[in-house]
Amino acid sequence: MKGTIGRIRRTGAALAVATLVAVTGCSLNEGGGESTGGSGGSDEQAGGATLRIGTTTDMENFNPLQSLSKTDSWILNATYPTLLRIDGNAQKVPELAEEYTTEADGTVVVFHLRDDFEWSDGTPVTAKDVAFTAQAIMDHQLGNVAAKLTWVTGIEVRDDHTVAFTLSEPYAPFAEGVGFWMRIVPEHIFSKAGDVSQFANDSDWVGAGAYILESATKGQRYVLKANENYPYAPEGGPAVETVEYVVYPDVNTMILALRNGDIDLMGTPVPVSAVASLESDENIAIETVGSLGFAHLTYNVQHPVLADQTVRQALSMVVDTESIIETILQGDGERMVGPISPIFADYDNSDLEPYPFDPAGARALLEGAGYTDGDGDGILDDLTFEMVCDQSNANLTRVAEVVRDDAAEAGIQIDLACIERNTFLARTRGGEYDIDLSQWGVFDNPMDQLRSTYLSSNPGGINYNLVADPELDALVNDAAVTADPEQFVEKIKGIDAYVHDQALLTPLYVENFRFAYRGDRFTGFDPSPSDLLGMVTGYSLAQVTPVD
């Protein structure tokens, strides 16, 4: 059966999944010094515009098969195509793949590729590149995509533009999950690297996206040049010939650079506190997009005290989410209760009751569980934790301070470590933290979300809790292969309830994001939901035109 376009709908400011797609019919709807690509070149070619984008983080990894940093994602997503992309309505739409079909009761998923993509060295993009990419990810268990390829038992290249994945059993989200997340790499380049997990890919870049990385100067700038053969560019090629990512030490410095005209677009969302001021500047335009992720506290359950469910529940009771939304977000956010965002309306378990904001009750709960204040300093013994957060997210750094102060009333000491983003990501991935305050960028379906975040056997996933719970594993694995839509929804809601009861995380809110750019210079952006995609997808940048 062929895939059709369009499965996620907007409802006011939120987005909701309309229906589960049955497995037999699918929908096609995140080293120092200078590296230089082969062409060298200047900042701007004759006749082409240069668009400068501000960022607060350097690239951490140039290998598109395993990178997770935000700036990495922005640049590598523009350089390497995916089979599908997400449009402004959060729908999966074709990129490299024109469509996908299913066979054999959903156990075979076939991607049908466009015939007009080519790598920047002139080599055609073919099904062999797709098969090589998937096999390399499986062989080396690379990144989050490895988890999405769990069921693959075989990959068949049927012809230059057709590749088929055979699955051990039907898995409804397979095509859209793999299609969106798997960046396709050139087989003729990466196959020469041997162990692709060790391939630096830090020079002479060959891509097939809207823009190709040309040079990288750590701590300063990353320069990309337009791919004139990108099939989704306007007729005649993109008007923006050069894209530069300029690195700033913090968001406030980047805002000043935008005002001064040193950059044309802020890659990161505007802090709520700065929106009104930027809106009053006649040279600056503001674009609002929805979110596919959410803010949350995650607890490292390998910590001997945080392994105690009671402690995690008490921590959930010292977070005043409603006040945070009203004050820090100035009302522009929607509260979450369980781990499934209300964006996915059909799967959100509305029967769950939020943990009350009650620091006194939290302390009583802890004292009832045997925690005492032996030295009389107001802090219960063994209840001192470090909370890490990404200092580039101005809203979350303020949330961290509020949670720290409220936790103290319950006898819990929280020491803050709001640090540079790449360091923050390295620590959370490595389990080097007690409490993680962060914001997921993109969850495009709830099943993949739950497998990535909670399945203990999930290779390359984002199980930052480090949870290894056989009961939870069984719930997730059972839901993953459930074909009946109604049963599937109920099982997702059951997992939602289990995670909520265990307090593996404290969900905070879903917010809208505002992006600021020089409206006096550029127009025509085609943004996508989330802070990870926002204004800076390759597709969006290729549509931009200078203001006359």
Side-chain angles (χ1 to χ4, degrees):
M1 173 177 272
K2 287 188 176 182
T4 56
I5 296 177
R7 195 177 60 154
I8 303 179
R9 64 180 183 270
R10 285 192 182 274
T11 306
L15 306 169
V17 172
T19 56
L20 172 70
V21 179
V23 295
T24 55
C26 303
S27 293
L28 179 58
N29 288 349
E30 238 165 59
E34 181 170 348
S35 299
T36 306
S39 58
S42 62
D43 289 348
E44 184 171 348
Q45 295 180 359
T50 295
L51 177 73
R52 293 178 173 87
I53 303 172
T55 179
T56 58
T57 58
D58 267 300
M59 287 193 72
E60 183 181 56
N61 192 327
F62 293 89
N63 188 330
L65 299 182
Q66 55 185 4
S67 176
L68 281 176
S69 173
K70 183 175 292 185
T71 303
D72 296 4
S73 294
W74 291 341
I75 292 174
L76 297 175
N77 285 347
T79 302
Y80 298 93
T82 52
L83 294 163
L84 313 175
R85 66 177 181 86
I86 291 181
D87 70 5
N89 293 315
Q91 295 179 341
K92 299 289 180 58
V93 297
E95 188 171 40
L96 177 57
E98 289 185 315
E99 63 178 2
Y100 70 83
T101 58
T102 60
E103 301 170 356
D105 295 326
T107 59
V108 176
V109 178
V110 185
F111 288 99
H112 306 270
L113 311 184
R114 292 178 63 123
D115 62 4
D116 53 0
F117 268 82
E118 65 178 45
W119 299 107
S120 51
D121 62 2
T123 305
V125 179
T126 72
K128 289 182 179 179
D129 296 308
V130 178
F132 171 83
T133 300
Q135 192 63 56
I137 291 170
M138 291 190 296
D139 288 346
H140 298 279
Q141 295 299 294
L142 300 177
N144 190 35
V145 178
K148 303 178 190 303
L149 294 167
T150 300
W151 285 274
V152 175
T153 60
I155 305 173
E156 177 191 3
V157 175
R158 295 182 176 177
D159 56 47
D160 281 351
H161 304 110
T162 312
V163 58
F165 291 82
T166 299
L167 312 181
S168 58
E169 50 194 331
Y171 180 57
F174 174 82
E176 292 196 359
V178 170
F180 170 67
W181 287 100
M182 186 170 70
R183 303 184 188 106
I184 308 304
V185 301
E187 186 271 344
H188 66 288
I189 300 294
F190 277 63
S191 63
K192 298 175 183 176
D195 182 352
V196 295
S197 69
Q198 302 302 313
F199 182 32
N201 191 41
D202 55 0
S203 64
D204 300 314
W205 294 279
V206 175
Y211 289 85
I212 311 299
L213 184 59
E214 182 178 74
S215 67
T217 307
K218 188 176 178 62
Q220 298 182 38
R221 69 188 63 245
Y222 299 86
V223 180
L224 298 89
K225 292 294 183 180
N227 175 6
E228 300 298 334
N229 295 319
Y230 180 60
Y232 295 103
E235 186 175 355
V240 172
E241 176 67 30
T242 304
V243 173
E244 289 186 8
Y245 280 87
V246 184
V247 182
Y248 289 94
D250 54 62
V251 174
N252 290 332
T253 307
M254 183 165 52
I255 291 174
L256 181 61
L258 182 71
R259 288 189 181 279
N260 292 341
D262 297 328
I263 58 174
D264 307 298
L265 167 68
M266 288 178 57
T268 55
V270 178
V272 173
S273 58
V275 170
S277 175
L278 289 175
E279 284 181 330
S280 67
D281 189 323
E282 62 181 8
N283 295 319
I284 294 174
I286 302 287
E287 187 87 28
T288 301
V289 305
S291 174
L292 291 175
F294 56 89
H296 60 95
L297 292 169
T298 289
Y299 307 110
N300 184 345
V301 299
Q302 296 302 312
H303 187 289
V305 180
L306 290 171
D308 184 347
Q309 178 186 10
T310 300
V311 173
R312 300 194 302 270
Q313 290 176 332
L315 282 162
S316 295
M317 295 170 64
V318 302
V319 181
D320 190 355
T321 304
E322 291 184 353
S323 176
I324 286 169
I325 291 172
E326 288 305 311
T327 57
I328 296 176
L329 297 186
Q330 297 183 15
D332 195 11
E334 183 175 0
R335 183 176 187 174
M336 286 184 58
V337 178
I340 300 299
S341 168
I343 287 169
F344 301 107
D346 291 347
Y347 303 99
D348 183 29
N349 192 336
S350 59
D351 293 334
L352 298 182
E353 292 290 334
Y355 287 96
F357 173 62
D358 184 2
R363 187 179 186 108
L365 179 66
L366 292 167
E367 290 175 340
Y371 292 92
T372 60
D373 179 8
D375 58 9
D377 65 351
I379 300 300
L380 299 173
D381 299 341
D382 300 321
L383 293 183
T384 297
F385 308 108
E386 182 185 55
M387 179 190 292
V388 298
C389 70
D390 172 11
Q391 68 180 14
S392 70
N393 189 316
N395 290 339
L396 288 185
T397 57
R398 295 178 63 196
V399 169
E401 295 170 351
V402 171
V403 172
R404 175 197 60 195
D405 296 344
D406 289 336
E409 295 185 26
I412 302 170
Q413 179 175 324
I414 294 180
D415 300 321
L416 302 185
C418 290
I419 51 182
E420 184 272 333
R421 180 172 176 80
N422 288 337
T423 305
F424 164 77
L425 289 173
R427 288 190 59 182
T428 52
R429 287 198 298 264
E432 299 174 9
Y433 75 95
D434 301 333
I435 304 172
D436 160 25
L437 171 61
S438 59
Q439 188 154 310
W440 294 123
V442 177
F443 283 128
D444 57 316
N445 72 72
M447 189 68 257
D448 272 353
Q449 171 191 337
L450 293 172
R451 293 189 71 252
S452 293
T453 50
Y454 298 118
L455 190 63
S456 63
S457 63
N458 195 355
I462 47 177
N463 178 5
Y464 294 162
N465 279 115
L466 303 179
V467 61
D469 181 342
E471 183 175 354
L472 182 54
D473 284 349
L475 291 171
V476 172
N477 285 326
D478 178 54
V481 296
T482 299
D484 180 83
E486 292 185 2
Q487 292 182 17
F488 180 83
V489 168
E490 289 307 308
K491 289 179 180 180
I492 293 294
K493 289 183 177 180
I495 299 169
D496 199 353
Y498 185 90
V499 172
H500 176 66
D501 179 61
Q502 289 291 315
L504 294 176
L505 83 166
T506 301
L508 298 175
Y509 52 76
V510 177
E511 66 173 312
N512 288 328
F513 297 109
R514 291 179 175 86
F515 295 91
Y517 64 98
R518 294 292 299 227
D520 60 330
R521 295 178 178 175
F522 293 98
T523 188
F525 293 93
D526 193 335
S528 296
S530 91
D531 61 330
L532 186 63
L533 302 174
M535 307 282 282
V536 298
T537 65
Y539 179 88
S540 174
L541 297 176
Q543 314 309 312
V544 175
T545 58
V547 172
D548 294 333

